[in-house]
Amino acid sequence: MLIFDQLHSGPITTSDASGLASYRFADGVGFPPSYVRFVTQLGWGKLCGLFLLYIPLGHHPDSWTIRSTIIRRHMDEFYEEMEHDPLFIEPDGYPGIEQSLVPFAMSENGEYLAWNVAHRAADNEFPIYVLMARMGGIRYGAPDLYAFVEKCTDAVAVKLMLGPGYSALPLTFEPLPLVS
């Protein structure tokens, strides 16, 4: 059983199916399979009581196509201003990683989740990285969204992934209405 099957949701806010199916990254391949499964099975909402995963929602302000672009612009401005200071890519980043990160989620505490699109795996997944609050560092998250959620619910793994101030997060999904 996949971890998403353990998440109970109510009525889901579905994605823009054509946007989900037709979008292609620079490598010519679409969204990672774990993200596609999440989007089609659960839709728009809050994961583990903390993360808003942006999904394709057409022209809605919380659509992945809009939020990812806005977050990416802020990332570019931040890293340019900081002149690629290595402090802001520690502990798990490397020089240039910020150019390969495509954001797809935000926590209520200010962290961003981003795919490293320069390293697609054989299973078509992108590794997930966590940009710490106020972009104060980059931590490796997980090889896919399934493993990310599992780590969120583990008391030790969540600290390594999100920082020492975190405790295990609940295995929950709360569908959210689309409010403009």
Side-chain angles (χ1 to χ4, degrees), residues 59-71:
H59 297 293
H60 189 276
D62 284 323
S63 178
W64 176 80
T65 53
I66 294 171
R67 294 297 303 157
S68 182
T69 301
I70 292 169
I71 296 166

Side-chain angles (χ1 to χ4, degrees), residues 5-81:
D5 295 335
Q6 298 174 46
L7 297 171
H8 300 286
S9 72
I12 68 169
T13 300
T14 57
S15 72
D16 169 14
S18 65
L20 184 64
S22 65
Y23 186 84
R24 296 291 177 259
F25 289 89
D27 65 359
V29 181
F31 288 106
S34 61
Y35 175 81
V36 171
R37 175 92 188 254
F38 178 89
V39 169
T40 56
Q41 184 172 339
L42 298 169
W44 166 241
K46 188 175 1 174
L47 180 64
C48 296
L50 186 64
F51 294 99
L52 298 171
L53 270 70
Y54 299 111
I55 67 173
L57 295 167
H59 297 293
H60 189 276
D62 284 323
S63 178
W64 176 80
T65 53
I66 294 171
R67 294 297 303 157
S68 182
T69 301
I70 292 169
I71 296 166
R72 181 71 235 184
R73 187 173 55 244
H74 292 303
M75 288 170 57
D76 290 343
E77 291 167 1
F78 175 81
Y79 289 116
E80 182 177 320
E81 182 179 316

Side-chain angles (χ1 to χ4, degrees), residues 3-176:
I3 197 155
F4 298 163
D5 295 335
Q6 298 174 46
L7 297 171
H8 300 286
S9 72
I12 68 169
T13 300
T14 57
S15 72
D16 169 14
S18 65
L20 184 64
S22 65
Y23 186 84
R24 296 291 177 259
F25 289 89
D27 65 359
V29 181
F31 288 106
S34 61
Y35 175 81
V36 171
R37 175 92 188 254
F38 178 89
V39 169
T40 56
Q41 184 172 339
L42 298 169
W44 166 241
K46 188 175 1 174
L47 180 64
C48 296
L50 186 64
F51 294 99
L52 298 171
L53 270 70
Y54 299 111
I55 67 173
L57 295 167
H59 297 293
H60 189 276
D62 284 323
S63 178
W64 176 80
T65 53
I66 294 171
R67 294 297 303 157
S68 182
T69 301
I70 292 169
I71 296 166
R72 181 71 235 184
R73 187 173 55 244
H74 292 303
M75 288 170 57
D76 290 343
E77 291 167 1
F78 175 81
Y79 289 116
E80 182 177 320
E81 182 179 316
M82 293 298 121
E83 297 179 13
H84 305 285
D85 185 333
L87 174 67
F88 295 106
I89 61 172
E90 292 179 357
D92 299 326
Y94 52 84
I97 188 173
E98 71 278 3
Q99 297 167 4
S100 299
L101 296 177
V102 173
F104 69 95
M106 180 179 170
S107 81
E108 291 184 330
N109 294 336
E111 295 98 355
Y112 295 109
L113 302 183
W115 293 301
N116 184 341
V117 298
H119 294 282
R120 191 182 289 268
D123 61 0
N124 282 329
E125 295 287 348
F126 290 129
I128 297 170
Y129 281 82
V130 180
L131 282 71
M132 306 315 292
R134 295 178 300 285
M135 296 183 208
I138 298 174
R139 292 179 183 260
Y140 175 73
D144 58 42
L145 199 49
Y146 303 125
F148 179 82
V149 173
E150 288 175 4
K151 285 183 170 186
C152 282
T153 63
D154 181 277
V156 174
V158 74
K159 291 178 184 311
L160 296 172
M161 189 171 65
L162 299 177
Y166 277 91
S167 299
L169 300 174
L171 181 58
T172 60
F173 178 77
E174 176 188 351
L176 296 174

